[in-house]
């Protein structure tokens, strides 16, 4: 496998590192870098379509007529993904580790070899020279950056038993610790498509590992197909989607909180409202996002603080890939200081008091860009 690394570096990487460096810097600087561009999960990934499109790029297509869901610059991003997979293969990293690396690079740089970032962060994984990842020149080398990520991952005890987002966070220690989960399906499809292009990495190679990688590790958060709320179609504001019922295995206190919150459906949002009589004449007795959570759990015998800023510290943190009915999910702002909160209801749905002029409503989790999640039971 060590020989494979050298060969890959010559055959596949030299056009990127030498001839394409200037192009990559320009396109990366012009590309949009925003967490808001992608919803909480990419669930409609057609693995066969990804394989077809990846093949076109690796065969020299410009990317003009290539479309891969979640990749806005495939001609730049696919070769970088290939570098990451190649480095993983050369180090004998299992398939899951390669998927973790791809998901991490998608979140950190959108698979672009950036020459900028937060503070001194650089490259595919936004590694920082000041944090001991190497010199700026080394980190901008996609092969070096990928190998460094893998070496750190392999030192994490029990990483193979972690979710993708937990393992990625153990390496990256990001300020958005749950953001990696949304890339898992695309990362899996890319790894499968790219690994097939390397000698000895076809369908028969390490079949057990490959089969494991095809199993989605996401739980009932909306990152597994059919669990993102999209199956309910358009949900009229203030109504309960036809066919929804609180999951039978939901915690009894969560069931009480969800039921009470559903009783407020259709009542208008009021910033600063107490949510103590949302159907009454006093506007200040209506709900805002955090008072809806507070009063719902108060009726279940659980005391929560009043604001979104403080509720994000209640209970314990959970991964968006492991949500259970009753968990609080946070969006807008930042992970440490979010500006909005809703309650996960199961079945890929969230109940929320969204904003001024809007009623308490149920929305699919696919419409949420989740910054943090807390379990308060």
């Amino acid at each position: 496998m060590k020989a494979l690394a050298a060969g890959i570096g010559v055959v596949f990487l030299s056009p990127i590192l030498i001839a394409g460096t200037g192009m990559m810097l320009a396109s990366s600087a012009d590309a949009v870098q925003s967490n808001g561009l992608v919803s909480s999960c990419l669930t409609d990934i057609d693995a066969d379509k990804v394989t077809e499109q990846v093949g076109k790029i690796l065969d020299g297509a410009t990317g003009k007529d290539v479309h891969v869901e979640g990749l806005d610059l495939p001609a730049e991003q696919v070769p970088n993904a290939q570098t990451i997979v190649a480095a993983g293969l050369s180090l004998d990293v299992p398939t899951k580790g390669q998927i973790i690396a791809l998901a991490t690079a998608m979140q950190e740089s959108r698979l672009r070899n950036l020459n900028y970032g937060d503070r001194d962060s650089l490259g595919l994984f936004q590694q920082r020279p000041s944090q001991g990842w190497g010199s700026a020149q080394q980190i901008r080398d996609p092969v070096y950056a990928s190998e460094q990520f893998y070496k750190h991952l392999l030192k994490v005890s029990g990483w193979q038993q972690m979710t993708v987002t937990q393992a990625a966070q153990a390496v990256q220690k990001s300020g958005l610790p749950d953001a990696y989960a949304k890339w898992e399906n695309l990362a899996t499809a890319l790894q499968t498509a790219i690994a097939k292009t390397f000698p000895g990495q076809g369908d028969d190679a390490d079949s057990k590992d490959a089969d494991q990688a095809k199993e989605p590790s996401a739980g009932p958060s909306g990152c597994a197909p059919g669990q993102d709320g999209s199956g309910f179609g358009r949900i009229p504001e203030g109504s309960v989607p036809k066919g929804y019922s609180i999951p039978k295995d939901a915690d009894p206190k969560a069931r009480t909180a969800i039921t009470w919150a559903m009783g407020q459906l259709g009542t208008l949002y009021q910033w600063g409202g107490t949510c103590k009589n949302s159907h009454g004449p006093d506007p200040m007795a209506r709900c805002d996002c955090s008072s809806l959570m507070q009063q719902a759990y108060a009726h279940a015998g659980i005391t929560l603080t009043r604001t979104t800023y403080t509720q994000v510290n209640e209970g314990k943190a959970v991964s968006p890939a492991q949500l259970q009915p009753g968990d609080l999910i946070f969006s807008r702002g930042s992970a440490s200081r979010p500006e909005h909160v809703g309650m996960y209801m199961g079945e890929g749905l969230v109940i929320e008091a969204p904003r001024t002029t809007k009623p308490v409503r149920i929305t699919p989790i696919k419409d949420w860009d989740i910054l943090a999640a807390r379990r308060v039971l």
Side-chain angles (χ1 to χ4, degrees), residues 35-36 38 40 107 165 169 174-180 182 308 312 317-320 328-341 368-374:
N35 291 333
V38 180
S40 60
Q107 172 59 26
T165 196
Q169 174 62 7
S174 168
L176 298 174
D178 299 315
Y180 305 101
K182 63 189 174 189
T308 304
V312 75
V318 293
S319 166
L328 305 185
I329 62 174
F330 299 84
S331 67
R332 307 175 196 164
S334 65
S336 60
R337 193 172 174 81
E339 299 172 358
H340 186 54
V341 61
W368 283 67
D369 189 7
I370 301 175
L371 298 176
R374 307 292 295 192

Side-chain angles (χ1 to χ4, degrees), residues 7 19 50 77 89 108 185 250 289 346:
V50 171
Q77 293 162 307
L89 293 173
E108 297 293 349
N185 289 344
C289 64

Side-chain angles (χ1 to χ4, degrees), residues 136-157:
Q137 182 178 4
Q138 287 175 318
I139 291 172
R140 289 294 321 291
D141 178 344
V143 177
Y144 174 90
S146 300
E147 290 178 345
Q148 287 299 305
F149 178 86
Y150 286 126
K151 289 175 181 178
H152 282 73
L153 175 65
L154 296 175
K155 291 179 182 178
V156 175
S157 178

Side-chain angles (χ1 to χ4, degrees), residues 39 60 86 99 111 167 248 258 277 323 337 350:
S39 64
I99 292 170
L111 277 173
K248 294 180 179 179
I258 293 170
N277 185 14
L323 290 180
R337 193 172 174 81
V350 183

Side-chain angles (χ1 to χ4, degrees), residues 270 274 277-286:
Q270 176 61 52
T274 64
N277 185 14
S278 66
H279 294 277
D282 181 4
M284 294 310 296
R286 297 173 188 163

